[in-house]
Amino acid sequence: MVCGLKGMMWVGNLEKAARKAAVWLVNKRPIRDIRDWGISFSLWPVHFTTACCGAEFAATSAPKYDAERFGFLPFVASRQCNLLLIEGTLTKKMAKAALWVYEQMPEPKFVIAMGACAIDGGIFWNSYNIVRPMDILPVSVFIPGCPPRPEAVAQAIIMLQKKIRKGELVKYEEMEVVK
Amino acid sequence: MDLEEVVQRVKDALSDLEVEVQEKGPNVVEVKVNRENVIEAARKLKGLGFDHVKSVTAIDYPNERFEVVYHASSYSNLELARFFLVLRVDLPYDDPKTPSLLEVWPSVLYLEHEQYDLMGIDFEGHPRKERLLLPDDYEGIPPLRKEFKIKTEGINA
Amino acid sequence: MSEFVETISRSEDGRFLELLIGPQHPASGHMRLVAEVDGDVVVSLRPNLGYVHRSVEKIAEVKKFLQIIPLVERPSLADTTANNLAYVLALERLLGVEPPPRAQYLRTLLAEINRIHSHFYGIGIHGVMIGSSTAFMWAFGDREPLIHLAQELTGARITYSYIIPGGVRRDMPPDFPDKVEKVLRYIERRLEDYDKLYVRNPVVRARLEGVGVLKKEDAIRLGITGPNLRASGVPYDVRKADPYCAYPDIDFNVITREEGDAMARFLVRVGEIRESMKIIRQVLKKMPDGPIFAEKYYKMLPPNLKKYYEETKEVKFPGIFANLRAPAGESVARVEGGRGEVVIYIVSKGGMNPYRFRIVTPSFRNAVLFEHLVRNVRVADIPAIYGSLDYFPPEADR
Amino acid sequence: MMDLLDLILQPWIFIPLIFPGLTTAFLVLLGIIWAERKIAAKVQMRYGPLYVLKPLGGAIQMIADLLRYLFAEPIIPKDVDKLTFIFAPLILFGLSYLPTIVLPAGPGFTAISSEMSLLILLGLLTLSPVFTMILAWGSNNKFSLIGGLREGYLVTTYEIPLFLSALSMAVLYGTLDITAMVEAQKNVWGIFLNPLAAIVFLVLILISTSKFPFEIAEAESEIVMGPFTEYSGIFYGLVMGASYLKLYVLSLLYALIFLGGWYPLPSFLQNPPFLAGIMVFVKGLVIMFIAIFMRAIYPRYRIDQAIQIGWHKLVPLAILSIFLSLLVVYLGGV
Amino acid sequence: MAVERVFDHLRAIATGAKYLFLKPRLTLMYPDEVEDLPRGYRGMITYNHETCISCSLCAMVCPADAIKMYLPKEVPEGEKRPKRYPGINYTRCIFCGFCVSICPTFSLQHSTIHDVSFYTFEEQIFRPEEFAKGPPKPQYDKEPVKVRVIPDEERGLRYERV
């Protein structure tokens, strides 16, 4: 069929070339800076609570701390989000789900590990049913505390924004346009 | 209603079964029963007004026995609600089986299921024999048994 | 009990759609709900628990008695005091320690502050589940003044670890009653606005009234606990049935409703917020003077720490707390938390760790309600009912 | 230079490109989502987007979000129907924007002057839900499917009263031409002549653009994002934008047929069309403001309740509004 | 009944409008303003190496095994059994404050620093030498205003500059 997406116009090398050109353009200096600026102020964490730190995470978006000021808007589906916040312990059962969610998210995507449990297990470090998020996901920022105060979460957001604006986290070279 | 009266009532109700009834602490009535009689005893206790179970605990005494402890109490009779009725069943270590009390007390549904999952006690007649809290693909010793060891660290680095 | 046998009935002709709600779903929390739907009607639903199972009971067997205090708090983060208190009551029964009266009152004070903000937590989650982001934000915003009070009292936002064997860790600051009074007045004022914007909002009522009705006999039969039980007309409250701490001296009502629907469960929570405010006022009025730490452990403190305690009213632990030993025996305690009754059962063989530690949390006992209530309702009712249960998965999974 | 300006000021260029077309629509899109978040935040005792541009209250938040959409990886999942998955959002967006061309921006200033412009507009609006359903089907996701079905149910519910209440205004003014309808409101606005139709139409705007309390097709706590669950990157930006564009079009229509369009602007200010257009735009903004303000007040209805409201309340009210129009015409008309 | 419902709708909208136009906000403007926590808040822990008697009670009581007793990096010559000193591991610390409460010499104290995050795992582990240098500090772009949180009858919480 001619209309199938493959045969339409992005044929073979043309598609690859176009993609290369797009990547080259996107990684050019002013565009890259604008892109990084936009991404840093539009961090949408996916609505995925792994454990009890979700209570303090909710308090972070609640009126007293209002994380939406940083453009941080908890959003519903993994396809539209770019930030995975591991909120507390990651159990073995949940770890599978976390990997799944992480894979569903579009590039560029970031991971924050919130709470002692999400770093090294915290008080549950010797539980038989937990996984350390840093072993299975590329964690960018760690928030200690059990649970961390909402200020610490805000601090982590600011630190992540800084890192993104430095251009250290967003890389397009490996990114595939169509999966 | 004071404790002695409750103990007396429980004794009267269970007089034709082989049970041990004693008072423990300010508001705890303890009933020890064989696993053959447990359903019958539970039914009679329910007749007394102990209408729900608050907790089911299985205890592992390695190479000796298992013990299943039901903590029952009452919602419909608020005078009785002050008391815990503790129903204890001893099981041999190599055969951890006991009849499920689900048909007497529906409130044990999840509580017994959890003990099946974590302690490996087989509640006969319980409809659910799958994993509850552990991952579905978990295999090996049930984690709450004493032979299942978890890591510990000393105080020195 | 044919009711619970094979609740998921696979339909032969593929007529039913199986919906996997969660664990990544805005209304699933940390669990998965396996729903089978026929068109827009839910045929059956099974909760799939265990996504937050962190094996508290197993870890407790290798932890020392004092170390279990933070451990039992973690599962129910929005309502830590209830777990903390239940554990310490059980431990004190085992150790044979009686806290002084002022400590009893301070425990009651914290428990009630915690109950209010736990109920606000439940109200907020319920709100967002039926789509009202304002209810969520308001409730979570109004938790903050109460959390601030608890923080002044204990030194932490949520995980207080305030109640220790033999007393509490700190006395309240001198200007505390004034601050409490201000916050209570604020909450009273705000509850009126909740009433106007949310409770009497026709859309809210359309969504909640008559949805997920739990009959009284079912509530008793299934061993439901907490506000969910009282919303079905059972006036059972541990604070009345088996009073602990300062509750015997305090006058309050048990809030019940007869309807048993989602709205009733919501209104019981609102009613309990008002009752808790009443209790807090009484506690502050009746607060006795005196020590906050049991004589038995106070005596073990070295002189410099005794002096520090007298000056700052901040308890320093005696060295024995690091390796606290309990005599052989067992004890059980129950406490009415925000979500319901917490039962803690400790078996000790003597030594520094419990031999078997059992904690039954209200959410775990209420988990059966998912399959009981969410049947022959519409898909949109799943979150409405879920929210009304104030169910907290980490608490259920432990 | 002047030639260019003259060219742009030609209605057939100005309307699709400047107002109410592309440029304004795009700015409204950026503004209205920001406003929605800010208004909800204010009611909820917080700030909402702020740090992205602090002096202006974070007004360019949507630009940051747009950039993120643009540069995010547009995932096309393996199991979707690729053709519908990619083209349905494009068509949906286009169809939502298309009705702007029949909207007049001033007296006699129309791109397409037709005696049937109201019908054209309503007809074009009816098409877009079809593509929502198609893209829901194409996503091959259970939640999308349910969302699509909900959308379908709602379409059947709201289309009829929407047509009826719009037609009641046509009966009142005796014309189907939007420009003529505005001219007929020179002395009295439509909302005062037929308040019933005005209320019904306002509720129907909420339903058809899925605003609270009728945000049912994409009810997040029930079915994730409904039809749009699988969309990411710029595709998601398109489908999201489409629903707001629809709100924009309907709000302008509301301003034109109920709120007197560019009246009560004196006639010497109506040409060139800027001021007339601004007048219409401001009135439209008020309607948009009301629609997005509802987010802060209401939770959402259940689908059966919404359908019940549609058939049991809105349809009879819409029919009543036609009779009301007839009565007004009989009593002397406009 | 129906009329009542219309009034309920109107009342709800009016309440929302009241908050939109009249009521103040509750937000603390972090990071421009930082809450000055009351004395006794259980924040990051400070350690005084001079007064520490190496009793290891803190390590024994720590529920999360976050405090460990470390040997000094360079063992002084001639010492056969060098003393061990506590170091803290913030990857596990749960801020229960038991170590502070049990410390008999007040060597461990709470600071009110509470808003720290880290980029890497390793920088969260503090051996006694680093532990004695003080708690980790948050990175602010500009020095924040310290505010005291005061419960208020009208607004719930009020923020007052210290």
Side-chain angles (χ1 to χ4, degrees), chain B residues 54 56 58 60 75 81-82 88 110 114 128 130 145-146 148, chain C residues 46 58 61 220 224 236 242 330 334 341 355-356 358 365 371 398:
Chain B
K54 290 186 193 296
V56 178
D60 173 21
Y75 280 158
R82 198 159 72 80
R88 311 183 85 103
Y110 276 63
E114 188 201 1
R128 296 193 182 156
E130 71 269 2
R145 292 203 181 169
K146 290 287 173 189
F148 186 100
Chain C
R46 272 280 285 278
K58 185 72 186 178
E61 287 175 15
I220 293 173
I224 305 310
Y236 174 83
D242 182 12
E330 57 177 65
R334 53 180 160 172
E341 184 180 30
Y355 185 74
R356 176 80 165 91
R358 176 80 172 134
R365 283 168 65 191
E371 38 191 305
R398 285 154 291 154

mmCIF file of all heavy atoms in Angstrom, chain B residues 54 56 58 60 75 81-82 88 110 114 128 130 145-146 148, chain C residues 46 58 61 220 224 236 242 330 334 341 355-356 358 365 371 398:
data_model
loop_
_atom_site.group_PDB
_atom_site.id
_atom_site.type_symbol
_atom_site.label_atom_id
_atom_site.label_comp_id
_atom_site.label_asym_id
_atom_site.label_seq_id
_atom_site.Cartn_x
_atom_site.Cartn_y
_atom_site.Cartn_z
ATOM 1 N N LYS B 54 -10.567 -9.336 64.126
ATOM 2 C CA LYS B 54 -9.747 -8.153 63.887
ATOM 3 C C LYS B 54 -8.397 -8.523 63.299
ATOM 4 O O LYS B 54 -7.779 -7.729 62.605
ATOM 5 C CB LYS B 54 -9.510 -7.412 65.191
ATOM 6 C CG LYS B 54 -10.745 -6.732 65.732
ATOM 7 C CD LYS B 54 -10.388 -5.903 66.938
ATOM 8 C CE LYS B 54 -11.622 -5.473 67.678
ATOM 9 N NZ LYS B 54 -12.498 -4.594 66.911
ATOM 10 N N VAL B 56 -5.682 -12.017 62.238
ATOM 11 C CA VAL B 56 -5.292 -13.425 62.212
ATOM 12 C C VAL B 56 -3.775 -13.445 62.161
ATOM 13 O O VAL B 56 -3.176 -12.823 61.286
ATOM 14 C CB VAL B 56 -5.875 -14.151 60.988
ATOM 15 C CG1 VAL B 56 -5.404 -15.585 60.963
ATOM 16 C CG2 VAL B 56 -7.376 -14.095 60.994
ATOM 17 N N ALA B 58 -0.339 -15.904 62.350
ATOM 18 C CA ALA B 58 0.286 -17.212 62.449
ATOM 19 C C ALA B 58 1.670 -17.021 63.036
ATOM 20 O O ALA B 58 2.382 -16.080 62.664
ATOM 21 C CB ALA B 58 0.372 -17.864 61.075
ATOM 22 N N ASP B 60 5.356 -18.874 64.076
ATOM 23 C CA ASP B 60 6.196 -20.000 63.689
ATOM 24 C C ASP B 60 7.134 -20.320 64.848
ATOM 25 O O ASP B 60 7.932 -19.472 65.254
ATOM 26 C CB ASP B 60 6.976 -19.594 62.429
ATOM 27 C CG ASP B 60 8.003 -20.629 62.052
ATOM 28 O OD1 ASP B 60 7.855 -21.776 62.483
ATOM 29 O OD2 ASP B 60 8.938 -20.270 61.312
ATOM 30 N N TYR B 75 -19.057 -6.010 67.166
ATOM 31 C CA TYR B 75 -19.551 -4.689 66.768
ATOM 32 C C TYR B 75 -21.001 -4.521 67.193
ATOM 33 O O TYR B 75 -21.438 -3.420 67.520
ATOM 34 C CB TYR B 75 -19.498 -4.525 65.252
ATOM 35 C CG TYR B 75 -18.152 -4.182 64.691
ATOM 36 C CD1 TYR B 75 -17.852 -4.447 63.373
ATOM 37 C CD2 TYR B 75 -17.186 -3.573 65.477
ATOM 38 C CE1 TYR B 75 -16.628 -4.133 62.841
ATOM 39 C CE2 TYR B 75 -15.958 -3.266 64.949
ATOM 40 C CZ TYR B 75 -15.681 -3.543 63.634
ATOM 41 O OH TYR B 75 -14.471 -3.220 63.103
ATOM 42 N N ALA B 81 -17.711 -5.317 73.028
ATOM 43 C CA ALA B 81 -16.672 -4.767 72.165
ATOM 44 C C ALA B 81 -15.413 -4.421 72.945
ATOM 45 O O ALA B 81 -14.347 -4.260 72.373
ATOM 46 C CB ALA B 81 -17.192 -3.528 71.447
ATOM 47 N N ARG B 82 -15.554 -4.316 74.275
ATOM 48 C CA ARG B 82 -14.389 -3.964 75.078
ATOM 49 C C ARG B 82 -13.388 -5.119 75.143
ATOM 50 O O ARG B 82 -12.231 -4.926 75.477
ATOM 51 C CB ARG B 82 -14.855 -3.599 76.489
ATOM 52 C CG ARG B 82 -13.853 -2.827 77.294
ATOM 53 C CD ARG B 82 -14.567 -2.088 78.398
ATOM 54 N NE ARG B 82 -15.048 -2.980 79.447
ATOM 55 C CZ ARG B 82 -14.261 -3.466 80.417
ATOM 56 N NH1 ARG B 82 -12.990 -3.171 80.443
ATOM 57 N NH2 ARG B 82 -14.753 -4.240 81.357
ATOM 58 N N ARG B 88 -6.894 -19.586 69.830
ATOM 59 C CA ARG B 88 -5.578 -20.101 69.419
ATOM 60 C C ARG B 88 -5.710 -21.529 68.930
ATOM 61 O O ARG B 88 -6.365 -22.356 69.560
ATOM 62 C CB ARG B 88 -4.603 -20.074 70.580
ATOM 63 C CG ARG B 88 -4.549 -18.780 71.332
ATOM 64 C CD ARG B 88 -3.501 -18.862 72.405
ATOM 65 N NE ARG B 88 -2.216 -18.534 71.839
ATOM 66 C CZ ARG B 88 -1.624 -17.347 72.028
ATOM 67 N NH1 ARG B 88 -2.192 -16.432 72.760
ATOM 68 N NH2 ARG B 88 -0.467 -17.108 71.473
ATOM 69 N N TYR B 110 -9.346 -11.638 53.914
ATOM 70 C CA TYR B 110 -8.013 -11.162 53.579
ATOM 71 C C TYR B 110 -6.991 -11.540 54.639
ATOM 72 O O TYR B 110 -5.820 -11.743 54.340
ATOM 73 C CB TYR B 110 -8.039 -9.640 53.389
ATOM 74 C CG TYR B 110 -8.472 -9.249 52.003
ATOM 75 C CD1 TYR B 110 -9.743 -9.564 51.565
ATOM 76 C CD2 TYR B 110 -7.616 -8.592 51.140
ATOM 77 C CE1 TYR B 110 -10.153 -9.229 50.296
ATOM 78 C CE2 TYR B 110 -8.023 -8.259 49.871
ATOM 79 C CZ TYR B 110 -9.280 -8.583 49.450
ATOM 80 O OH TYR B 110 -9.678 -8.257 48.191
ATOM 81 N N GLU B 114 -3.626 -13.525 53.800
ATOM 82 C CA GLU B 114 -2.300 -12.955 54.029
ATOM 83 C C GLU B 114 -1.397 -13.966 54.734
ATOM 84 O O GLU B 114 -0.222 -14.118 54.405
ATOM 85 C CB GLU B 114 -2.436 -11.691 54.876
ATOM 86 C CG GLU B 114 -1.146 -10.936 55.005
ATOM 87 C CD GLU B 114 -1.125 -10.010 56.186
ATOM 88 O OE1 GLU B 114 -2.122 -9.971 56.931
ATOM 89 O OE2 GLU B 114 -0.100 -9.357 56.384
ATOM 90 N N ARG B 128 -9.086 -18.716 48.080
ATOM 91 C CA ARG B 128 -8.001 -18.047 47.347
ATOM 92 C C ARG B 128 -6.670 -18.655 47.720
ATOM 93 O O ARG B 128 -6.239 -18.589 48.866
ATOM 94 C CB ARG B 128 -8.018 -16.561 47.658
ATOM 95 C CG ARG B 128 -9.304 -15.983 47.135
ATOM 96 C CD ARG B 128 -9.312 -14.517 47.105
ATOM 97 N NE ARG B 128 -10.638 -14.098 46.634
ATOM 98 C CZ ARG B 128 -11.174 -12.934 46.901
ATOM 99 N NH1 ARG B 128 -10.516 -12.067 47.632
ATOM 100 N NH2 ARG B 128 -12.356 -12.633 46.441
ATOM 101 N N GLU B 130 -3.828 -17.896 45.843
ATOM 102 C CA GLU B 130 -2.789 -17.251 45.052
ATOM 103 C C GLU B 130 -2.054 -16.250 45.942
ATOM 104 O O GLU B 130 -2.357 -16.108 47.111
ATOM 105 C CB GLU B 130 -3.385 -16.579 43.809
ATOM 106 C CG GLU B 130 -4.200 -15.337 44.061
ATOM 107 C CD GLU B 130 -5.680 -15.605 44.258
ATOM 108 O OE1 GLU B 130 -6.065 -16.789 44.231
ATOM 109 O OE2 GLU B 130 -6.439 -14.647 44.457
ATOM 110 N N ARG B 145 8.384 -17.010 57.903
ATOM 111 C CA ARG B 145 8.903 -18.126 58.694
ATOM 112 C C ARG B 145 10.292 -17.797 59.205
ATOM 113 O O ARG B 145 11.035 -17.037 58.596
ATOM 114 C CB ARG B 145 8.946 -19.385 57.837
ATOM 115 C CG ARG B 145 7.578 -19.870 57.497
ATOM 116 C CD ARG B 145 7.591 -21.326 57.163
ATOM 117 N NE ARG B 145 6.245 -21.749 56.817
ATOM 118 C CZ ARG B 145 5.969 -22.928 56.276
ATOM 119 N NH1 ARG B 145 6.945 -23.776 56.028
ATOM 120 N NH2 ARG B 145 4.736 -23.245 56.003
ATOM 121 N N LYS B 146 10.633 -18.428 60.312
ATOM 122 C CA LYS B 146 11.904 -18.078 60.940
ATOM 123 C C LYS B 146 13.105 -18.514 60.106
ATOM 124 O O LYS B 146 14.178 -17.939 60.204
ATOM 125 C CB LYS B 146 11.986 -18.727 62.321
ATOM 126 C CG LYS B 146 11.041 -18.112 63.318
ATOM 127 C CD LYS B 146 11.512 -16.747 63.756
ATOM 128 C CE LYS B 146 10.451 -16.096 64.612
ATOM 129 N NZ LYS B 146 10.726 -14.699 64.906
ATOM 130 N N PHE B 148 13.482 -18.144 57.057
ATOM 131 C CA PHE B 148 13.749 -17.114 56.051
ATOM 132 C C PHE B 148 14.518 -15.994 56.735
ATOM 133 O O PHE B 148 13.998 -15.326 57.610
ATOM 134 C CB PHE B 148 12.426 -16.600 55.491
ATOM 135 C CG PHE B 148 12.579 -15.640 54.345
ATOM 136 C CD1 PHE B 148 12.425 -16.064 53.041
ATOM 137 C CD2 PHE B 148 12.857 -14.300 54.572
ATOM 138 C CE1 PHE B 148 12.553 -15.187 51.998
ATOM 139 C CE2 PHE B 148 12.992 -13.411 53.519
ATOM 140 C CZ PHE B 148 12.837 -13.863 52.228
ATOM 141 N N ARG C 46 -11.547 -6.764 41.461
ATOM 142 C CA ARG C 46 -10.683 -7.344 42.486
ATOM 143 C C ARG C 46 -9.509 -6.398 42.684
ATOM 144 O O ARG C 46 -8.867 -5.998 41.720
ATOM 145 C CB ARG C 46 -10.124 -8.688 42.017
ATOM 146 C CG ARG C 46 -10.985 -9.892 42.324
ATOM 147 C CD ARG C 46 -10.863 -10.376 43.744
ATOM 148 N NE ARG C 46 -9.634 -11.087 44.024
ATOM 149 C CZ ARG C 46 -9.429 -12.368 43.748
ATOM 150 N NH1 ARG C 46 -10.360 -13.082 43.174
ATOM 151 N NH2 ARG C 46 -8.294 -12.948 44.059
ATOM 152 N N LYS C 58 8.235 -8.628 59.095
ATOM 153 C CA LYS C 58 9.489 -9.377 59.104
ATOM 154 C C LYS C 58 10.627 -8.512 59.611
ATOM 155 O O LYS C 58 11.455 -8.962 60.409
ATOM 156 C CB LYS C 58 9.793 -9.875 57.683
ATOM 157 C CG LYS C 58 11.005 -10.761 57.589
ATOM 158 C CD LYS C 58 10.730 -12.115 58.207
ATOM 159 C CE LYS C 58 11.997 -12.969 58.261
ATOM 160 N NZ LYS C 58 11.716 -14.259 58.902
ATOM 161 N N GLU C 61 11.032 -8.161 63.295
ATOM 162 C CA GLU C 61 11.616 -9.260 64.060
ATOM 163 C C GLU C 61 13.117 -9.124 64.235
ATOM 164 O O GLU C 61 13.698 -9.786 65.085
ATOM 165 C CB GLU C 61 11.286 -10.598 63.379
ATOM 166 C CG GLU C 61 9.832 -10.970 63.560
ATOM 167 C CD GLU C 61 9.461 -12.233 62.801
ATOM 168 O OE1 GLU C 61 10.365 -12.963 62.379
ATOM 169 O OE2 GLU C 61 8.257 -12.463 62.642
ATOM 170 N N ILE C 220 -20.761 -5.223 59.553
ATOM 171 C CA ILE C 220 -20.379 -6.016 60.724
ATOM 172 C C ILE C 220 -19.767 -7.341 60.281
ATOM 173 O O ILE C 220 -18.728 -7.766 60.769
ATOM 174 C CB ILE C 220 -21.610 -6.254 61.621
ATOM 175 C CG1 ILE C 220 -22.074 -4.932 62.228
ATOM 176 C CG2 ILE C 220 -21.309 -7.267 62.697
ATOM 177 C CD1 ILE C 220 -23.349 -5.021 62.984
ATOM 178 N N ILE C 224 -15.550 -4.439 58.838
ATOM 179 C CA ILE C 224 -15.100 -3.113 58.377
ATOM 180 C C ILE C 224 -14.778 -2.263 59.599
ATOM 181 O O ILE C 224 -15.287 -2.513 60.687
ATOM 182 C CB ILE C 224 -16.215 -2.463 57.544
ATOM 183 C CG1 ILE C 224 -16.620 -3.382 56.411
ATOM 184 C CG2 ILE C 224 -15.795 -1.123 56.981
ATOM 185 C CD1 ILE C 224 -15.481 -3.891 55.610
ATOM 186 N N TYR C 236 -19.428 2.032 66.716
ATOM 187 C CA TYR C 236 -18.254 1.454 67.355
ATOM 188 C C TYR C 236 -17.066 2.363 67.157
ATOM 189 O O TYR C 236 -16.718 2.727 66.043
ATOM 190 C CB TYR C 236 -17.958 0.075 66.760
ATOM 191 C CG TYR C 236 -16.671 -0.532 67.264
ATOM 192 C CD1 TYR C 236 -16.638 -1.210 68.471
ATOM 193 C CD2 TYR C 236 -15.497 -0.413 66.539
ATOM 194 C CE1 TYR C 236 -15.457 -1.753 68.948
ATOM 195 C CE2 TYR C 236 -14.314 -0.950 67.008
ATOM 196 C CZ TYR C 236 -14.294 -1.625 68.205
ATOM 197 O OH TYR C 236 -13.118 -2.142 68.672
ATOM 198 N N ASP C 242 -13.104 0.867 74.213
ATOM 199 C CA ASP C 242 -11.994 0.416 75.037
ATOM 200 C C ASP C 242 -11.077 1.610 75.253
ATOM 201 O O ASP C 242 -10.022 1.713 74.638
ATOM 202 C CB ASP C 242 -11.261 -0.728 74.308
ATOM 203 C CG ASP C 242 -10.127 -1.278 75.137
ATOM 204 O OD1 ASP C 242 -10.056 -0.936 76.332
ATOM 205 O OD2 ASP C 242 -9.322 -2.051 74.594
ATOM 206 N N GLU C 330 3.020 -11.790 75.823
ATOM 207 C CA GLU C 330 2.437 -11.184 74.632
ATOM 208 C C GLU C 330 1.459 -10.110 75.046
ATOM 209 O O GLU C 330 0.928 -10.118 76.165
ATOM 210 C CB GLU C 330 1.752 -12.241 73.773
ATOM 211 C CG GLU C 330 0.685 -13.031 74.493
ATOM 212 C CD GLU C 330 0.010 -13.992 73.542
ATOM 213 O OE1 GLU C 330 0.713 -14.898 73.075
ATOM 214 O OE2 GLU C 330 -1.189 -13.833 73.266
ATOM 215 N N ARG C 334 -5.148 -1.830 70.773
ATOM 216 C CA ARG C 334 -5.864 -1.265 69.628
ATOM 217 C C ARG C 334 -6.090 0.223 69.860
ATOM 218 O O ARG C 334 -6.232 0.662 71.004
ATOM 219 C CB ARG C 334 -7.187 -1.973 69.394
ATOM 220 C CG ARG C 334 -8.049 -2.025 70.620
ATOM 221 C CD ARG C 334 -9.344 -2.736 70.348
ATOM 222 N NE ARG C 334 -9.946 -3.196 71.582
ATOM 223 C CZ ARG C 334 -11.153 -3.714 71.644
ATOM 224 N NH1 ARG C 334 -11.876 -3.836 70.568
ATOM 225 N NH2 ARG C 334 -11.648 -4.108 72.796
ATOM 226 N N GLU C 341 -9.464 1.237 63.112
ATOM 227 C CA GLU C 341 -8.834 0.606 64.252
ATOM 228 C C GLU C 341 -7.506 -0.026 63.863
ATOM 229 O O GLU C 341 -7.435 -0.803 62.915
ATOM 230 C CB GLU C 341 -9.801 -0.473 64.746
ATOM 231 C CG GLU C 341 -9.390 -1.188 65.971
ATOM 232 C CD GLU C 341 -10.447 -2.218 66.341
ATOM 233 O OE1 GLU C 341 -11.119 -2.730 65.424
ATOM 234 O OE2 GLU C 341 -10.565 -2.509 67.511
ATOM 235 N N TYR C 355 9.400 -11.529 69.088
ATOM 236 C CA TYR C 355 9.473 -12.814 68.391
ATOM 237 C C TYR C 355 8.549 -12.800 67.192
ATOM 238 O O TYR C 355 8.892 -13.267 66.112
ATOM 239 C CB TYR C 355 9.086 -13.939 69.345
ATOM 240 C CG TYR C 355 9.247 -15.298 68.720
ATOM 241 C CD1 TYR C 355 10.519 -15.831 68.529
ATOM 242 C CD2 TYR C 355 8.152 -16.041 68.320
ATOM 243 C CE1 TYR C 355 10.687 -17.063 67.946
ATOM 244 C CE2 TYR C 355 8.309 -17.266 67.728
ATOM 245 C CZ TYR C 355 9.577 -17.785 67.539
ATOM 246 O OH TYR C 355 9.739 -19.000 66.943
ATOM 247 N N ARG C 356 7.359 -12.273 67.398
ATOM 248 C CA ARG C 356 6.432 -12.117 66.272
ATOM 249 C C ARG C 356 5.756 -10.784 66.472
ATOM 250 O O ARG C 356 5.310 -10.466 67.576
ATOM 251 C CB ARG C 356 5.405 -13.248 66.279
ATOM 252 C CG ARG C 356 4.338 -13.142 65.210
ATOM 253 C CD ARG C 356 4.851 -13.628 63.861
ATOM 254 N NE ARG C 356 3.739 -13.856 62.928
ATOM 255 C CZ ARG C 356 3.262 -12.932 62.101
ATOM 256 N NH1 ARG C 356 3.777 -11.736 62.091
ATOM 257 N NH2 ARG C 356 2.276 -13.242 61.279
ATOM 258 N N ARG C 358 2.796 -8.303 64.891
ATOM 259 C CA ARG C 358 1.662 -8.306 63.983
ATOM 260 C C ARG C 358 0.992 -6.949 64.026
ATOM 261 O O ARG C 358 0.679 -6.448 65.111
ATOM 262 C CB ARG C 358 0.672 -9.383 64.429
ATOM 263 C CG ARG C 358 -0.601 -9.429 63.628
ATOM 264 C CD ARG C 358 -0.389 -10.160 62.339
ATOM 265 N NE ARG C 358 -1.650 -10.374 61.636
ATOM 266 C CZ ARG C 358 -1.785 -10.141 60.339
ATOM 267 N NH1 ARG C 358 -0.788 -9.710 59.624
ATOM 268 N NH2 ARG C 358 -2.936 -10.371 59.739
ATOM 269 N N ARG C 365 -8.123 -4.103 56.511
ATOM 270 C CA ARG C 365 -9.421 -4.702 56.813
ATOM 271 C C ARG C 365 -10.511 -4.153 55.911
ATOM 272 O O ARG C 365 -11.529 -4.803 55.696
ATOM 273 C CB ARG C 365 -9.769 -4.467 58.283
ATOM 274 C CG ARG C 365 -9.000 -5.411 59.182
ATOM 275 C CD ARG C 365 -9.098 -5.026 60.610
ATOM 276 N NE ARG C 365 -10.465 -5.149 61.110
ATOM 277 C CZ ARG C 365 -10.849 -4.667 62.275
ATOM 278 N NH1 ARG C 365 -9.983 -4.047 63.055
ATOM 279 N NH2 ARG C 365 -12.081 -4.806 62.682
ATOM 280 N N GLU C 371 -14.196 -5.296 46.493
ATOM 281 C CA GLU C 371 -14.969 -6.279 45.737
ATOM 282 C C GLU C 371 -16.419 -6.313 46.191
ATOM 283 O O GLU C 371 -17.295 -6.695 45.431
ATOM 284 C CB GLU C 371 -14.328 -7.663 45.802
ATOM 285 C CG GLU C 371 -13.722 -8.025 47.111
ATOM 286 C CD GLU C 371 -12.882 -9.285 46.981
ATOM 287 O OE1 GLU C 371 -13.417 -10.279 46.522
ATOM 288 O OE2 GLU C 371 -11.704 -9.254 47.357
ATOM 289 N N ARG C 398 1.589 -2.827 54.103
ATOM 290 C CA ARG C 398 2.580 -2.784 55.183
ATOM 291 C C ARG C 398 3.989 -3.109 54.714
ATOM 292 O O ARG C 398 4.370 -4.111 54.309
ATOM 293 C CB ARG C 398 2.193 -3.689 56.345
ATOM 294 C CG ARG C 398 1.079 -3.053 57.142
ATOM 295 C CD ARG C 398 0.274 -4.091 57.838
ATOM 296 N NE ARG C 398 -0.443 -4.839 56.849
ATOM 297 C CZ ARG C 398 -0.836 -6.094 57.013
ATOM 298 N NH1 ARG C 398 -0.584 -6.733 58.092
ATOM 299 N NH2 ARG C 398 -1.502 -6.700 56.062
#
